[in-house]
Amino acid sequence: MANKDTYTSYQTEEYYIKEEPFYLPVADEVELFEVAYSQQMPILLKGPTGTGKTRFVEYMCYRLGKPLTKITKKSQPTSTTSIPLMTIACHEDLTASDLVGRYLLQGDETKWMDGPLARAVKVGAICYLDEVVEARKDTTVLIHPLTDHRRYLPIDKRGEVIEAHKDFLMVISYNPGYQSALKDLKHSTRQRFMALELNSPPPDIEAKIIEHESGVSPEISLSLARLGEKTRNLKDHGLNEGVGTRLLVYAGKLIKNGIAPRRACQVAVSWALTDDFQVQRSIDEVTHSIFE
Amino acid sequence: MKYSEDFKKFPKELSDSYNTVQSVASRVLTEEEFLAWEESGLNIANRGARAWESAVEYFRATPDILNKLPFVHLKQWAYWGSLIAEESHFASIAYFKASRHVSDQIKPWDVADWAQLGKKLLGKDSRSGKLSVSYFENSAEILKVLTFSEFKQIILLVETISEHNTDEAAKFIDCASEVLPVLKEDTRPCLSLISNLVRNHWQQSTKCLSMMSSVLARIDTVERSRFLSLSARISEEQNTDVVSFLHESSLALGSVDNYVHVNILNMADRLSRTNPNIVLNYLKGVPKALRRISINQLELWYDLGMSILKDNETAGIAFFSGESSRSEDMLEKLSVGVELSKVKDIMRLYCRALSAIDIDISPEEQGDDAHGKSWVPMDQMLAEGANIYLPFVSEQFDTKDENFDWFKVMATHQIAHLEFKSFQFSFDTPSTQYQDIRDELAPSMSDLISEVEMADFALENEQQGTQQDFGMTEIQRFFAIFKDRPLARDIFTAAEDYRLDHRVMVDYPGIASSYKRVQLQSISNRLPLSELPSQEALVEILIRFSLQQTGTLQIPQKYIQLTSAMWKIIRPLSTKGSIVEDSAEATIRLYEIISNMSNQKPNEEDEEQDFEMDPSDGEGDNEDSEDESTSNSLDSETEEGSDNIQQYQSPQQVDYRGEFKPELMQAISMIKDYQKEHESTEDGISKEKIEQILSEADSPPSEAEKIDPDAKGTFVSEMAQDLDSKGNPQAVLQQSSYAYDSTYDDEDRRGPLEANDPDSFLYDEWDYRISDYRNRWCLLREKEMAEGDSAYFTTTLDGYSSLAGQIRRQFELMSPQGLQKMKRQQDGDELELEAVIEAMVDKKSGSTPSEKVYLRRNKVQRDVAVVFLLDMSASTAEAIDETRRLADEWDAPDDPLEYMFWLRSRRGEGMRRSYKRIVDLEKESIVLLIHALETIGDTYGIYGFSGYGRENVDFFVIKDVQEALSERVKRRIDKISPLQATRMGPAIRHATSKLAGIDARTKFLVLISDGRPQDRGYSREGVEKEYAIHDTRIALTEARRDGVTPFCLTVDKEGHDYLRAMCQDMGYEVLADINNLPRRLPTLYRHLTV
């Protein structure tokens, strides 16, 4: 391809995590994931935004693929030895055919094009449906047979059923906090998954994450982590959602690159979190207490 | 002697009095004169039936008068006396009696004038005698301070008054004689004010005069005359209540410093030339403004007000009364002080963030009323999280930021108690910095408590039976090991503060600089060490440690050794991991040092010496050094005599620290735990018990004080009241009518309101005459509607069964038809066969095929949120067929009393109904609408509103927006009933705020009312409905600005007139026939939201 130098593109089923993502386990979630994977047990990740759900899936994907990499003794894993990660961000217009596939008009004929889910099922990828409650209800028709003992994907339009590859695993995530009751996950769906709850890490762990991700000093990381902790105390008291680690990392990056801490926290934390002036002011005051 | 026989005709008293004085008279007077004198006496006695009594007084007064008046004048004196006696012998008695003193004070030739004046007062009517009497009786007193010509002026005033009312005139004279002598140099300006008054408002003159001395006492001496001339100018206005002007303005001036009176009066003076009517408003507003800004800044505020006043009089009035937003904004801009109410929400969130506990911030009580501080909040604490106290205003510093920081420092310190677990002291938790000696000490120390005390303690427990139930708190256990508990408590507080302040500095480096500034400032406010008795000085040194942390302290020489010992003890508390138990251990050690010392009076000669607070000190083994110092202190102190030993007194509180009550907090959490455990069994602790435990924990037993039973009583009854009134419209009604009784008069003048409980909301109100909002003008209370019978819901539906079905079907048609096919899309789920064929044909025939060959299913979603606002005003109690007639009778009486009566009578009408009222149709329509709405799944809320006056807007929740339709909602609908007046503005604003919290693409506010907005004070003087309509319109505009589409539906036949103004470009509809409402409302809704 002509553009190869300027960007890298992958076929979705060939996207592997090549570098080990940085992930600090808070509890036994890594172990649980591993067991679940080995037992082909679908996983539901719950937790507020910015607590590392996506990062966790990436990390697990890398980790689970790693033993095979070791055997080949090559830094570049091959498609047969590692697990591809297929991330699908769900939105309210995401339909079943977006996942399964559709006919396209090509030249003089129509051609079937597999959707991401169908591809993942075929190659045995970890398919991660992010914010699954956002998707249209008809997608559940696909999720259900894939996540129970049947483990197949029906493709009505072609009159096919695809059996899932043995490595295939469905992981879905949702944030119980902000969706309205209407968008809650149906029980028939949620009872097909093992659920892992990811919450904000304790300050010391969070400080390490911030330190690693942003490169600021341990002191500032700890201060940021404490700011995070304090801010989360405001959840349901003006904030719908506490600050996620991601924002704290942003703040850390800003500080690292020469922005004054108070200002960095203002733009990356208080303004990012809310539009409510009072709440912004309160968070700023906390920031001003913590940072000079 | 010539007439002595004549005298015999009269009672003996006359001759007697004549005889006693005749020798004196004969000595002074020539014979001719003597005869004349005698003749006058007889003349007087002959002037009427009881005129002889006057003659008696004439003779008795003679010796005095003889000395003072030449005979010419004496004759005149007698002559006038006889004239007076002819009219009223009482008056003449008073005349003769008074003349003895008066003649001292006036020139002899004025006596006749004086008498003549008195006579003039006589005569007009039967009661004028009394007036004249009081004239004569009081003359002497008044003349002491006035010249005769001034006196004459006064009497002219009296005459004027007497033309209206003789009694009043007499009272005026009495009053003048009492007040004028006290006024001294202010008498003249005062008189000119009074004469003004008599001319313009004679009724008020006596009252004004009588209050003059108390009024003037409140005003700076040099400014009094100016104040009086200002008042005089005010009094020239029509309809001025000078009495209340004097009273209230002097109170206002009295509440600010005397030295600013000159500036304030200067401004008032200028103001009075432009608009005398608002001077009082201005003066009343000044003390409040001066709490926030300096007198110089007040001038700026005043100038702005003047310029507004020139453009728009009403706006200016509102400005000076502190009711307009511009006035408030200006004050805010000018002031450097920070008011707690302005930053309370921020501070609350700040505290919540730091501590993860719901914190309630209460303004500190003024003064040091310990009960006030601890009682009400204690109950709050039981109910909620914790409470911290901040002062009303922070203004010690020069800038707003610094003042705000002061609040922050206070809050941070108080929160530090929670954050760093001061209240979670546990007796058995080991400390981290010290060797634990608590356990060993516990028995030995308790020996120190005398047997008697122990017995008392046990007895108390038995009687109360409380301690046994709950045991002691951990901290009480700890304090029990000390003999002198107040001392131990103070030491513990200082040690804990030392630990916390250190911790705050480390954990919150950002606040450290402000923190230090506040600490330094607190130090500057403290008593010098050299003035304190020994024990107190040592405790004070501990406090200084906690305030200063590092650097040098000035310590009287005799304490140097002990200070360094204490420093070594307290120092480890600054280690980062130190915990509250460490403070406790430090307390034991410090207590040993301090309690071994007698509390001696300060010794003046002590020299001060520097003590270096070396942070490296005391890191070693502190046990040894401490022992040493303890023995030292014992040695040095025993030899002193005992006469100059004082009782130990707790040190003054550190400004920013608030009160630290670990025992209380632990007691509270103990009770809470207990309550939680016993919640299910319902056998909670009685209120009395709680109070008892808390009071024990709050005040140490040694100084146990009785809690004012009244205070408790009030609280309980308030609680009960609270419970009663919740959501019960009738109770509310009663409540508000009570409120009205006590406060109805002068309601417009009371200015902005305060919201004190969480269900109260304050809203500004638009005053079109000043083109500005009136600040915090309406107090709206949100209440849940009381519940009635849910059968009403079903009955109504049954009654309208065919209509209900019809409406429901119509609504079902509106509901989203699932997925809608969208043809010829660029992208989609499947290929659309027709489009594909066309594209193929195009392609084959050589033209460019369309790319839009897909079929897409789009979800059609209704995303509507709607709030229905029901008018529950009394007028909805009208029977339907009466509606037409009533259009003319809409106007409520202006007089509040009449108004209440009017309301009640209207409600009464409703009670005996057998016919349908407007409100019934409103209810039925709502039932039908709910029934239909449930099918389409729109988010909807139903609220009712009513109220009386701006401080009583009631907002009833029938169905909250987020609430699902439940039996409770149905029951509430039953209770919708006509209540009071209609103040639409705040209700609309509140409903809008309800919608603001909802995430929906389309938002509606449907206002269903029966008449135009109308409430007491909502249609202001002279402008009638304009005011209410303008405010309502602005409220609707605000709603639209917030993305809510308002719609007004009214059943008022006259509606067109005002709705047009109210809704201009907004949706509105007037129902010609109220009976159509149930049918019309759902239809309307359908059309609106499609």
Side-chain angles (χ1 to χ4, degrees):
Chain A
M1 273 194 248
N3 289 338
K4 195 145 194 174
D5 295 339
T6 49
Y7 68 94
T8 339
S9 71
Y10 301 93
Q11 286 294 301
T12 43
E13 60 267 52
E14 286 167 15
Y15 176 72
Y16 306 102
I17 310 292
K18 295 195 195 76
E19 308 246 334
E20 177 170 4
F22 177 80
Y23 182 81
L24 272 183
V26 177
D28 57 351
E29 68 266 24
V30 172
E31 194 189 339
L32 283 168
F33 196 106
E34 280 176 343
V35 174
Y37 184 75
S38 69
Q39 298 302 310
Q40 302 185 328
M41 196 188 291
I43 294 167
L44 163 65
L45 295 178
K46 286 199 272 188
T49 181
T51 46
K53 295 189 294 288
T54 307
R55 181 63 71 88
F56 176 57
V57 174
E58 284 176 0
Y59 172 74
M60 288 315 298
C61 196
Y62 175 84
R63 198 180 149 97
L64 291 166
K66 218 161 120 189
L68 300 175
T69 326
K70 266 184 190 160
I71 295 166
T72 61
K73 293 201 170 154
K74 276 181 188 168
S75 60
Q76 189 80 10
T78 63
S79 60
T80 48
T81 55
S82 190
I83 305 165
L85 174 64
M86 189 98 59
T87 305
I88 302 162
C90 300
H91 52 86
E92 52 189 10
D93 275 343
L94 187 88
T95 60
S97 54
D98 285 334
L99 289 174
V100 176
R102 59 169 61 104
Y103 281 105
L104 294 179
L105 205 55
Q106 225 170 44
D108 287 351
E109 54 185 346
T110 56
K111 194 183 164 196
W112 176 258
M113 180 81 170
D114 272 338
L117 187 60
R119 293 182 184 197
V121 167
K122 284 178 181 168
V123 300
I126 290 180
C127 181
Y128 176 47
L129 295 178
D130 202 358
E131 303 292 2
V132 72
V133 283
E134 295 286 349
R136 283 200 195 177
K137 297 281 176 273
D138 59 350
T139 53
T140 50
V141 182
L142 305 174
I143 294 172
H144 285 190
L146 269 175
T147 48
D148 52 24
H149 63 279
R150 292 173 280 180
R151 277 177 70 83
Y152 61 65
L153 176 70
I155 303 180
D156 297 343
K157 285 182 194 140
R158 286 165 63 97
E160 279 180 7
V161 164
I162 309 173
E163 238 175 61
H165 186 278
K166 69 170 173 49
D167 289 343
F168 173 79
L169 181 76
M170 182 169 287
V171 181
I172 63 177
S173 79
Y174 97 116
N175 179 350
Y178 69 77
Q179 277 98 358
S180 65
L182 279 174
K183 286 181 171 174
D184 211 356
L185 213 49
K186 280 198 295 187
H187 273 279
S188 55
T189 309
R190 57 189 312 160
Q191 291 197 12
R192 289 179 147 80
F193 292 85
M194 174 192 95
L196 281 179
E197 279 200 24
L198 295 184
N199 280 315
S200 301
D204 47 338
I205 293 184
E206 189 164 34
K208 280 191 195 126
I209 299 170
I210 298 169
E211 190 186 338
H212 179 272
E213 295 284 306
S214 65
V216 287
S217 69
E219 293 76 37
I220 293 180
S221 310
L222 190 60
S223 295
L224 282 170
R226 291 191 37 248
L227 173 64
E229 186 194 7
K230 303 294 177 207
T231 312
R232 283 171 204 133
N233 288 335
L234 290 179
K235 186 163 187 252
D236 300 329
H237 290 78
L239 284 184
N240 293 327
E241 193 72 273
V243 63
T245 312
R246 184 169 37 225
L247 280 180
L248 296 175
V249 170
Y250 286 176
K253 284 180 176 164
L254 290 171
I255 295 171
K256 173 79 180 168
N257 289 290
I259 308 289
R262 286 182 174 184
R263 180 69 178 158
C265 292
Q266 188 172 45
V267 296
V269 180
S270 66
W271 291 1
L273 277 178
T274 175
D275 299 326
D276 185 322
F277 174 72
Q278 293 259 327
V279 184
Q280 283 183 353
R281 209 26 226 288
S282 322
I283 298 173
D284 284 345
E285 290 308 331
V286 178
T287 313
H288 285 217
S289 287
I290 292 177
F291 290 100
E292 274 177 84
Chain B
M1 307 298 154
K2 186 177 164 192
Y3 299 104
S4 51
E5 283 309 305
D6 294 318
F7 290 142
K8 298 244 166 67
K9 287 187 283 181
F10 297 100
K12 188 167 167 290
E13 227 179 322
L14 179 62
S15 325
D16 286 353
S17 62
Y18 167 75
N19 291 334
T20 26
V21 294
Q22 61 138 324
S23 57
V24 185
S26 60
R27 238 180 292 131
V28 182
L29 299 170
T30 63
E31 199 168 321
E32 199 178 328
E33 288 170 340
F34 184 81
L35 274 179
W37 172 73
E38 268 188 321
E39 194 181 343
S40 308
L42 188 63
N43 195 12
I44 294 169
N46 281 326
R47 287 292 170 144
R50 293 179 69 187
W52 62 270
E53 291 175 35
S54 316
V56 171
E57 286 305 323
Y58 166 72
F59 288 127
R60 283 185 187 157
T62 302
D64 275 348
I65 301 295
L66 278 175
N67 290 333
K68 290 164 193 161
L69 298 181
F71 186 73
V72 208
H73 298 295
L74 186 133
K75 231 175 115 185
Q76 289 209 322
W77 170 68
Y79 167 70
W80 281 106
S82 67
L83 289 185
I84 294 169
E86 189 167 7
E87 306 226 5
S88 154
H89 73 280
F90 285 120
S92 62
I93 291 172
Y95 166 71
F96 288 121
K97 273 188 180 165
S99 51
R100 299 194 208 174
H101 305 289
V102 171
S103 54
D104 286 339
Q105 282 149 351
I106 55 179
K107 301 280 183 306
W109 51 88
D110 283 334
V111 171
D113 277 358
W114 174 68
Q116 193 179 0
L117 281 173
K119 173 151 187 308
K120 255 168 91 186
L121 293 177
L122 265 174
K124 280 169 206 106
D125 64 50
S126 56
R127 283 185 296 194
S128 60
K130 200 176 146 218
L131 170 63
S132 184
V133 169
S134 72
Y135 164 79
F136 290 122
E137 281 175 352
N138 291 309
S139 291
E141 275 300 307
I142 299 175
L143 281 166
K144 269 185 200 159
V145 285
L146 296 184
T147 64
F148 188 67
S149 66
E150 285 167 338
F151 178 80
K152 280 199 277 196
Q153 278 172 21
I154 289 246
I155 300 311
L156 270 177
L157 298 181
V158 173
E159 263 182 82
T160 323
I161 298 175
S162 73
E163 274 161 28
H164 300 285
N165 183 331
T166 325
D167 285 345
E168 190 71 19
K171 261 192 246 161
F172 182 85
I173 297 182
D174 287 344
C175 195
S177 77
E178 265 172 50
V179 174
L180 291 176
V182 218
L183 293 182
K184 298 194 184 105
E185 66 272 29
D186 304 316
T187 315
R188 266 142 214 109
C190 178
L191 283 182
S192 68
L193 165 64
I194 297 293
S195 61
N196 249 350
L197 270 178
V198 171
R199 262 198 308 276
N200 298 312
H201 315 274
W202 65 270
Q203 298 94 329
Q204 299 178 24
S205 48
T206 315
K207 180 88 180 106
C208 285
L209 185 63
S210 68
M211 61 199 283
M212 203 51 84
S213 65
S214 61
V215 163
L216 290 179
R218 302 189 187 110
I219 294 161
D220 189 42
T221 27
V222 285
E223 294 304 320
R224 284 181 192 163
S225 61
R226 237 154 53 114
F227 175 74
L228 288 168
S229 59
L230 174 71
S231 309
R233 191 165 316 123
I234 303 287
S235 70
E236 281 163 23
E237 287 299 305
Q238 291 290 309
N239 306 323
T240 317
D241 184 356
V242 184
V243 174
S244 58
F245 175 82
L246 285 173
H247 181 69
E248 293 182 27
S249 62
S250 70
L251 275 181
L253 283 168
S255 67
V256 300
D257 291 331
N258 274 5
Y259 67 88
V260 295
H261 285 181
V262 53
N263 310 54
I264 296 173
L265 286 172
N266 267 336
M267 289 182 247
D269 218 37
R270 273 181 280 153
L271 194 57
S272 70
R273 283 166 218 276
T274 322
N275 190 331
N277 292 322
I278 52 173
V279 174
L280 180 59
N281 287 343
Y282 158 76
L283 285 173
K284 272 158 69 182
V286 159
K288 225 158 100 195
L290 278 181
R291 253 177 268 149
R292 300 163 60 181
I293 57 179
S294 74
I295 186 73
N296 291 335
Q297 290 165 327
L298 188 72
E299 304 256 5
L300 293 173
W301 175 76
Y302 171 85
D303 289 343
L304 177 67
M306 283 304 270
S307 68
I308 290 175
L309 185 67
K310 266 177 209 133
D311 295 342
N312 177 343
E313 191 183 340
T314 333
I317 293 173
F319 182 93
F320 281 109
S321 315
E323 287 166 2
S324 75
S325 295
R326 259 178 292 178
S327 160
E328 181 60 28
D329 291 347
M330 185 70 184
L331 281 179
E332 184 60 35
K333 211 172 90 191
L334 289 172
S335 74
V336 294
V338 178
E339 276 174 279
L340 180 60
S341 55
K342 294 266 160 56
V343 297
K344 202 170 153 184
D345 287 338
I346 294 173
M347 293 315 297
R348 206 186 56 236
L349 287 172
Y350 175 79
C351 295
R352 158 89 208 173
L354 292 193
S355 65
I357 295 174
D358 274 332
I359 302 287
D360 206 37
I361 294 186
S362 319
E364 221 166 49
E365 303 276 323
Q366 303 244 293
D368 251 339
D369 181 9
H371 289 167
K373 253 182 188 177
S374 52
W375 264 102
V376 180
M378 221 186 279
D379 286 279
Q380 279 171 8
M381 272 193 278
L382 277 176
E384 297 149 26
N387 214 306
I388 68 170
Y389 295 94
L390 297 176
F392 277 106
V393 63
S394 158
E395 53 187 358
Q396 296 139 299
F397 299 96
D398 297 334
T399 66
K400 241 186 172 118
D401 287 348
E402 283 178 325
N403 281 319
F404 177 75
D405 280 352
W406 192 69
F407 273 135
K408 218 177 123 180
V409 167
M410 271 194 99
T412 311
H413 178 82
Q414 294 188 42
I415 288 301
H417 284 305
L418 293 167
E419 200 184 354
F420 303 119
K421 307 192 166 60
S422 294
F423 301 116
Q424 290 172 23
F425 175 81
S426 147
F427 195 83
D428 301 318
T429 306
S431 58
T432 62
Q433 311 293 324
Y434 302 88
Q435 236 169 24
D436 286 305
I437 50 174
R438 263 168 290 168
D439 276 333
E440 303 152 35
L441 278 173
S444 69
M445 282 289 218
S446 65
D447 289 344
L448 294 173
I449 305 173
S450 67
E451 295 279 319
V452 187
E453 217 174 304
M454 285 295 277
D456 277 355
F457 202 59
L459 187 67
E460 243 170 61
N461 285 348
E462 218 159 286
Q463 285 168 345
Q464 300 162 347
T466 51
Q467 296 289 53
Q468 280 134 328
D469 290 359
F470 298 104
M472 280 163 114
T473 56
E474 297 279 329
I475 196 85
Q476 278 172 333
R477 251 178 92 193
F478 171 68
F479 282 130
I481 66 180
F482 300 101
K483 189 180 172 195
D484 187 350
R485 266 173 249 163
L487 176 62
R489 198 170 285 113
D490 292 336
I491 296 173
F492 180 67
T493 305
E496 183 65 5
D497 282 338
Y498 177 82
R499 180 179 82 92
L500 292 179
D501 278 7
H502 221 274
R503 196 59 201 272
V504 169
M505 296 283 212
V506 172
D507 277 20
Y508 297 104
I511 205 179
S513 60
S514 338
Y515 215 97
K516 276 190 192 120
R517 189 174 55 231
V518 172
Q519 285 180 329
L520 284 178
Q521 203 240 7
S522 317
I523 291 177
S524 69
N525 288 343
R526 299 194 71 80
L527 290 172
L529 287 167
S530 54
E531 286 176 18
L532 293 168
S534 318
Q535 286 191 334
E536 286 161 43
L538 289 178
V539 174
E540 181 64 28
I541 290 172
L542 287 177
I543 293 173
R544 298 289 172 89
F545 283 159
S546 72
L547 284 175
Q548 209 173 328
Q549 312 269 336
T550 53
T552 318
L553 275 184
Q554 292 277 315
I555 305 283
Q557 197 157 20
K558 63 172 176 180
Y559 301 133
I560 279 287
Q561 256 189 330
L562 292 176
T563 304
S564 85
M566 294 199 303
W567 175 245
K568 277 180 187 146
I569 295 170
I570 206 170
R571 184 65 213 162
L573 289 179
S574 61
T575 321
K576 196 175 175 210
S578 61
I579 52 179
V580 63
E581 285 78 13
D582 289 317
S583 300
E585 286 294 327
T587 304
I588 297 176
R589 289 159 172 82
L590 293 166
Y591 177 83
E592 227 162 294
I593 294 182
I594 298 175
S595 66
N596 275 333
M597 195 143 166
S598 49
N599 196 26
Q600 278 168 0
K601 278 183 194 154
N603 197 343
E604 303 299 323
E605 300 96 64
D606 263 342
E607 272 183 34
E608 302 217 325
Q609 203 177 321
D610 286 355
F611 175 76
E612 199 68 38
M613 288 195 273
D614 180 3
S616 65
D617 237 8
E619 308 240 309
D621 47 347
N622 42 47
E623 299 293 324
D624 293 344
S625 55
E626 172 216 327
D627 288 344
E628 213 174 287
S629 61
T630 314
S631 52
N632 277 352
S633 70
L634 281 172
D635 292 345
S636 60
E637 296 305 327
T638 38
E639 67 226 37
E640 299 278 346
S642 58
D643 342 331
N644 51 1
I645 288 176
Q646 290 184 339
Q647 176 73 31
Y648 170 76
Q649 302 249 322
S650 288
Q652 71 187 114
Q653 218 177 325
V654 179
D655 294 344
Y656 69 93
R657 282 183 177 158
E659 273 182 288
F660 176 45
K661 291 182 171 167
E663 289 151 299
L664 182 62
M665 287 301 285
Q666 287 209 338
I668 288 169
S669 65
M670 187 172 72
I671 295 170
K672 270 193 204 164
D673 289 349
Y674 181 89
Q675 279 178 334
K676 228 176 264 167
E677 278 170 37
H678 293 71
E679 222 160 52
S680 46
T681 55
E682 293 270 326
D683 68 341
I685 332 166
S686 71
K687 189 156 178 61
E688 292 71 37
K689 262 187 190 174
I690 295 177
E691 280 172 0
Q692 198 174 4
I693 296 171
L694 294 184
S695 66
E696 271 163 28
D698 188 29
S699 48
S702 53
E703 48 184 274
E705 301 152 79
K706 287 283 158 256
I707 278 80
D708 185 4
D710 291 342
K712 271 187 280 180
T714 334
F715 178 76
V716 176
S717 57
E718 263 168 33
M719 280 258 290
Q721 224 173 339
D722 236 31
L723 289 174
D724 282 352
S725 68
K726 222 160 239 169
N728 184 346
Q730 291 308 324
V732 168
L733 193 66
Q734 276 182 351
Q735 223 179 22
S736 47
S737 47
Y738 289 147
Y740 139 76
D741 280 338
S742 58
T743 58
Y744 72 88
D745 52 65
D746 205 19
E747 68 106 21
D748 279 353
R749 301 276 158 252
R750 271 177 302 136
L753 302 165
E754 294 286 342
N756 291 323
D757 57 291
D759 288 333
S760 295
F761 302 85
L762 282 174
Y763 288 99
D764 294 352
E765 189 166 280
W766 180 261
D767 187 342
Y768 79 100
R769 293 164 310 159
I770 65 171
S771 311
D772 197 350
Y773 286 101
R774 287 190 185 265
N775 268 332
R776 296 181 290 162
W777 201 249
C778 297
L779 184 65
L780 178 142
R781 274 187 210 87
E782 190 176 315
K783 295 168 180 157
E784 226 174 60
M785 194 67 160
E787 292 175 22
D789 192 353
S790 66
Y792 177 81
F793 192 87
T794 20
T795 329
T796 311
L797 275 188
D798 289 349
Y800 280 97
S801 60
S802 74
L803 182 60
Q806 205 181 323
I807 294 172
R808 193 165 181 145
R809 268 191 303 284
Q810 286 174 340
F811 270 63
E812 272 162 2
L813 289 177
M814 290 161 67
S815 64
Q817 291 127 28
L819 300 169
Q820 193 180 34
K821 274 186 188 163
M822 293 172 72
K823 294 183 172 175
R824 303 200 182 229
Q825 300 290 308
Q826 198 115 36
D827 189 17
D829 302 330
E830 41 193 292
L831 290 169
E832 187 192 342
L833 188 59
E834 261 172 58
V836 170
I837 293 170
E838 247 172 61
M840 280 295 132
V841 171
D842 283 349
K843 200 178 166 195
K844 297 279 177 192
S845 60
S847 53
T848 319
S850 161
E851 286 181 3
K852 298 181 176 172
V853 292
Y854 287 96
L855 191 71
R856 193 177 169 83
R857 287 196 176 83
N858 250 3
K859 205 167 164 187
V860 186
Q861 220 174 1
R862 272 182 76 83
D863 196 6
V864 178
V866 61
V867 159
F868 294 93
L869 206 49
L870 292 187
D871 179 2
M872 282 165 58
S873 61
S875 43
T876 55
E878 306 305 345
I880 287 150
D881 45 6
E882 285 179 80
T883 336
R884 282 158 200 87
R885 171 171 70 79
L886 279 159
D888 308 326
E889 294 175 12
W890 251 197
D891 291 293
D894 280 338
D895 179 75
L897 271 170
E898 267 178 54
Y899 185 83
M900 289 313 291
F901 182 73
W902 175 78
L903 276 180
R904 291 216 175 96
S905 69
R906 289 188 153 209
R907 268 200 310 281
E909 249 170 74
M911 296 292 171
R912 300 184 300 269
R913 78 207 140 93
S914 54
Y915 45 84
K916 268 191 185 167
R917 303 167 300 173
I918 297 175
V919 74
D920 293 321
L921 283 169
E922 281 185 11
K923 280 158 79 173
E924 287 170 4
S925 326
I926 283 296
V927 169
L928 288 175
L929 192 64
I930 287 181
H931 182 64
L933 276 172
E934 285 297 315
T935 62
I936 51 170
D938 287 359
T939 316
Y940 66 101
I942 300 167
Y943 305 94
F945 69 97
S946 181
Y948 180 71
R950 64 187 179 94
E951 60 290 273
N952 283 312
V953 183
D954 294 323
F955 192 83
F956 296 97
V957 178
I958 298 156
K959 178 186 172 297
D960 219 340
V961 188
Q962 303 281 24
E963 201 176 352
L965 175 65
S966 62
E967 281 302 302
R968 295 189 58 199
V969 172
K970 292 180 183 171
R971 286 203 291 270
R972 281 186 214 138
I973 293 173
D974 186 34
K975 276 285 177 182
I976 300 174
S977 52
L979 291 172
Q980 297 163 309
T982 325
R983 206 181 193 94
M984 287 185 181
I988 294 172
R989 293 188 175 96
H990 194 65
T992 311
S993 78
K994 288 270 177 197
L995 277 171
I998 304 293
D999 176 33
R1001 209 180 315 145
T1002 331
K1003 297 178 187 177
F1004 286 97
L1005 189 154
V1006 181
L1007 177 66
I1008 305 166
S1009 80
D1010 68 317
R1012 69 171 142 78
Q1014 140 255 306
D1015 186 12
R1016 183 175 54 94
Y1018 204 36
S1019 38
R1020 283 163 172 259
E1021 63 293 338
V1023 287
E1024 298 296 313
K1025 52 193 177 187
E1026 301 295 312
Y1027 182 88
I1029 287 172
H1030 276 89
D1031 178 52
T1032 309
R1033 197 179 65 75
I1034 292 286
L1036 290 170
T1037 318
E1038 285 167 24
R1040 211 157 48 165
R1041 188 193 58 207
D1042 294 342
V1044 175
T1045 314
F1047 191 93
C1048 302
L1049 181 62
T1050 184
V1051 292
D1052 179 13
K1053 281 269 280 181
E1054 285 212 330
H1056 265 325
D1057 294 331
Y1058 71 89
L1059 266 182
R1060 191 157 288 146
M1062 227 157 85
C1063 301
Q1064 284 168 343
D1065 43 355
M1066 292 167 213
Y1068 72 93
E1069 184 170 309
V1070 180
L1071 269 192
D1073 183 358
I1074 170 78
N1075 284 307
N1076 276 341
L1077 186 64
R1079 180 182 300 272
R1080 182 60 190 150
L1081 185 59
T1083 320
L1084 187 73
Y1085 180 74
R1086 204 155 50 88
H1087 288 308
L1088 265 180
T1089 59
V1090 160

